[in-house]
């Protein structure tokens, strides 16, 4: 059994027991979170749309952290223009406990 959920502007295919990294949720480690935006559920056939209106996915938060640093370097020749910028995306690591649907 698997489900497709949407959070943080992205979609994830999850099954019970999976550990995934999603955009930062603002929930402390050890707490539970419920994803109500379920797009599809597969259990002996795919259900989507109005069939999954009451479906939800329950997960427990493992940790909050930052991903590896990404360096963006812009450069234009002959003009002396260059710009260096770095970014570390924050994430929340969750473990899927139960798919209700």
């Amino acid at each position: 059994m698997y489900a497709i959920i949407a959070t943080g502007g992205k979609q994830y295919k999850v099954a019970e027991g999976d550990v995934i990294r999603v955009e930062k949720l603002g929930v402390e480690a050890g707490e539970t979170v419920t994803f109500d935006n379920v797009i599809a559920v597969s259990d002996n056939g795919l259900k989507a749309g109005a069939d999954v209106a009451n479906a939800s996915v329950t997960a427990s938060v493992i940790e909050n952290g930052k991903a590896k640093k990404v360096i963006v370097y812009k450069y234009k020749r002959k003009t002396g223009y260059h710009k260096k910028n770095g970014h570390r995306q924050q994430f929340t690591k969750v473990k899927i406990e139960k798919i209700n649907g």
Side-chain angles (χ1 to χ4, degrees), residues 25-99:
L25 297 175
V27 180
E28 295 296 323
E31 296 183 22
T32 60
V33 64
T34 303
F35 298 106
D36 294 325
N37 193 358
V38 178
I39 297 170
V41 175
S42 175
D43 185 29
N44 300 333
L46 187 67
K47 294 187 286 187
D51 295 336
V52 294
N54 298 326
S56 64
V57 174
T58 305
S60 61
V61 176
I62 297 173
E63 69 171 323
N64 292 308
K66 287 186 173 183
K68 286 188 172 184
K69 182 168 241 182
V70 176
I71 303 296
V72 178
Y73 189 76
K74 296 180 180 181
Y75 175 78
K76 292 190 177 183
R77 64 191 190 120
K78 298 181 184 176
T79 61
Y81 172 79
H82 58 90
K83 183 177 180 181
K84 183 178 180 181
N85 191 10
H87 177 72
R88 289 187 71 185
Q89 185 67 36
Q90 295 182 342
F91 67 87
T92 300
K93 189 182 284 189
V94 296
K95 181 177 182 181
I96 306 301
E97 300 293 337
K98 185 161 177 60
I99 298 174

Side-chain angles (χ1 to χ4, degrees), residues 6-12 23:
T7 179
K10 298 176 179 67
Q11 296 176 0
Y12 301 92
E23 298 290 323

